[in-house]
């Protein structure tokens, strides 16, 4: 299950017990829409092992600014509250799955 990441819950989720993957997106972004089903599948496959959330940059631009996000989709990978990886652009499920596996 994907979480909705907002300014209000980001710090708590980032510092939670599970690694966190954040998909930064916007409603008008075509590539964001293209990877959305892949992110949803991975969220389901890694449920209980990795927390997966979506963050609308239009509503939570402070999170995007904090991590220097200039292009979307951007996927941020956190472990132990620290940013450990970042991926910009659309990708296949296999590429993103490798990033997820690296968090475990």
């Amino acid at each position: 299950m994907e979480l909705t990441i907002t300014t209000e819950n980001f710090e708590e989720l980032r510092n939670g017990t599970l690694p966190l993957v954040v998909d930064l997106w916007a409603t008008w972004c075509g590539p964001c829409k293209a990877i959305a089903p892949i992110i949803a599948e991975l969220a389901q496959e890694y449920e209980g092992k990795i927390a997966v959330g979506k963050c609308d940059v239009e509503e939570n631009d402070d999170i995007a600014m904090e991590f220097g996000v200039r292009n979307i989709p951007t996927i941020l990978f956190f472990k132990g509250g620290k940013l450990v990886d970042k991926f910009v652009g659309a990708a296949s499920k296999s590429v993103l799955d490798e990033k997820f596996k690296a968090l475990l």
Side-chain angles (χ1 to χ4, degrees), residues 17-18 33 62-63 76 78 94 98:
T17 56
L18 295 176
K33 291 176 185 173
D62 53 327
I63 295 172
L76 304 176
F78 295 92
S94 61
E98 287 303 314

Side-chain angles (χ1 to χ4, degrees), residues 3-83:
L3 306 165
T4 299
I5 307 279
T6 65
T7 301
E8 290 75 32
N9 69 6
F10 175 64
E11 287 302 319
E12 179 183 343
L13 292 169
R14 179 168 83 167
N15 293 306
T17 56
L18 295 176
L20 175 66
V21 175
V22 180
D23 174 17
L24 294 147
W25 68 286
T27 56
W28 46 263
C29 170
C32 298
K33 291 176 185 173
I35 67 163
I38 295 169
I39 297 294
E41 280 180 41
L42 290 168
Q44 193 169 28
E45 290 173 21
Y46 286 89
E47 191 164 352
K49 298 176 192 160
I50 297 174
V52 180
K54 297 182 74 64
C55 179
D56 186 334
V57 296
E58 295 285 310
E59 296 175 8
N60 304 282
D61 61 341
D62 53 327
I63 295 172
M65 288 175 26
E66 180 179 348
F67 295 97
V69 173
R70 299 185 190 282
N71 299 302
I72 54 173
T74 292
I75 304 170
L76 304 176
F77 299 84
F78 295 92
K79 190 168 189 172
K82 302 207 181 318
L83 181 66

